[in-house]
Amino acid sequence: MYKIAQGAALVLLSLALTACSSSPEEDEFTRKASPDQLYSQARTSMELGNYSKAVRSLEALDSRYPFGPHKTQVQLDLIYAYYKMDDAASGIANIDRFLRLNPTHPNIDYVHYMRGLTNMQADSYLFHDLMNIDRTDRDPKNAQDAFKDFDRLIKSYPNSKYAADAQHRMQYLKNRLAQYSIQVAEYYIKMNAWSAAAVRAQTVMEKFPGTPATERALEIMSEAYGELGQEKLQEHIKMVMRANFPNNDILTNE
């Protein structure tokens, strides 16, 4: 199964490299075309789903005509095209530039939303999803950044048409970040670092309440306090479990 996934990855990489190449005729057109012609070509390429070709036209516009009639829309289109190409680094760089140069643009909420989407995309691994591999133990930085992006959007632009979807995605990210903390706490358990395990599990309770990881966090805290001889703290945790998870094995096996 691993070889199949690896082979698919090589095929997709090959296709991506092919798609990124340009012909001499295209290069010649790009050099001679007017801003309107270049932008028309870029829009046509985007409508056809050829985002690599669209990016070449948009980048040419952006560099050759930085003050042209389409300058702002070119930047917005580049942000979207980079997202569709899964090029998070270029996407974030262009998003941050847009936010810096156009802080009062009427579509600024969309740009914040795209920043969240781009960071969320950077956190995902296509082949892990295809193979149903759980990798919640991976570095959560992009997920954390995406959560902050969506949170900023909702707080700054609560009436934005993107706010509802951002809220939904924040819940997914909360679950992902909570599960990451559980993975870290379980690692500490393996190392017999009970105090560190308890602290990490408590982080789940404080930062990500209401997530599916909450029950496991309480289990870890109960076990850790027991190992540390903190009986009062352990009993307090069990009280919380009785109120919220009365059928938990720790309680039924007492």
Side-chain angles (χ1 to χ4, degrees):
M1 190 64 74
Y2 170 76
K3 291 182 179 179
I4 294 174
Q6 189 178 44
L10 292 174
V11 170
L12 287 176
L13 178 60
S14 175
L15 290 173
L17 292 174
T18 301
C20 288
S21 61
S22 58
S23 64
E25 293 81 5
E26 183 183 337
D27 292 337
E28 181 69 15
F29 173 83
T30 300
R31 283 193 298 270
K32 295 182 177 180
S34 68
D36 286 340
Q37 288 174 322
L38 273 175
Y39 188 67
S40 177
Q41 182 188 65
R43 292 301 307 177
T44 299
S45 297
M46 289 184 72
E47 290 167 5
L48 294 174
N50 190 344
Y51 294 102
S52 60
K53 184 176 181 179
V55 162
R56 290 195 294 273
S57 300
L58 292 167
E59 286 180 339
L61 267 171
D62 194 39
S63 61
R64 290 171 54 193
Y65 306 103
F67 304 106
H70 307 291
K71 63 176 182 177
T72 305
Q73 190 58 49
V74 164
Q75 293 171 23
L76 291 171
D77 289 344
L78 269 173
I79 289 168
Y80 182 74
Y82 283 131
Y83 170 72
K84 296 298 289 186
M85 290 178 64
D86 201 8
D87 185 350
S90 297
I92 293 296
N94 276 268
I95 287 168
D96 288 346
R97 182 183 68 160
F98 190 96
L99 292 173
R100 185 176 65 255
L101 297 177
N102 307 279
T104 60
H105 191 275
N107 293 331
I108 202 71
D109 60 330
Y110 166 77
V111 180
H112 282 290
Y113 176 68
M114 286 302 301
R115 198 178 199 284
L117 287 185
T118 302
N119 271 315
M120 193 171 179
Q121 183 184 67
D123 181 63
S124 67
Y125 288 73
L126 172 62
F127 292 107
H128 292 161
D129 294 338
L130 289 176
M131 306 302 293
N132 197 29
I133 298 173
D134 180 15
R135 283 305 312 276
T136 49
D137 60 341
R138 65 186 180 271
D139 184 353
K141 184 182 183 306
N142 289 119
Q144 292 168 341
D145 289 344
F147 188 89
K148 292 176 183 176
D149 293 330
F150 291 133
D151 186 55
R152 185 179 299 113
L153 167 65
I154 291 170
K155 289 179 178 176
S156 300
Y157 310 96
N159 298 321
S160 169
K161 64 181 179 180
Y162 306 106
D165 186 66
Q167 186 70 58
H168 176 74
R169 291 175 184 274
M170 284 178 71
Q171 185 58 53
Y172 168 85
L173 290 165
K174 279 179 66 175
N175 293 343
R176 183 263 193 267
L177 293 170
Q179 189 57 41
Y180 173 80
S181 287
I182 292 296
Q183 297 271 5
V184 173
E186 289 178 339
Y187 169 78
Y188 287 141
I189 289 175
K190 292 179 182 178
M191 301 297 293
N192 291 321
W194 297 104
S195 181
V199 170
R200 196 73 192 208
Q202 186 175 352
T203 298
V204 175
M205 303 300 298
E206 294 174 349
K207 292 187 176 181
F208 312 112
T211 60
T214 300
E215 184 172 8
R216 180 59 184 144
L218 289 168
E219 291 175 347
I220 291 171
M221 292 172 73
S222 176
E223 183 180 4
Y225 290 143
E227 292 289 338
L228 293 168
Q230 300 286 341
E231 295 180 1
K232 289 184 177 180
L233 289 175
Q234 184 183 41
E235 184 54 36
H236 173 72
I237 293 301
K238 288 183 178 180
M239 286 176 60
V240 176
M241 294 179 73
R242 290 188 191 100
N244 294 277
F245 307 102
N247 297 319
N248 188 274
D249 289 344
I250 289 178
L251 302 177
T252 58
N253 292 331
E254 282 187 319

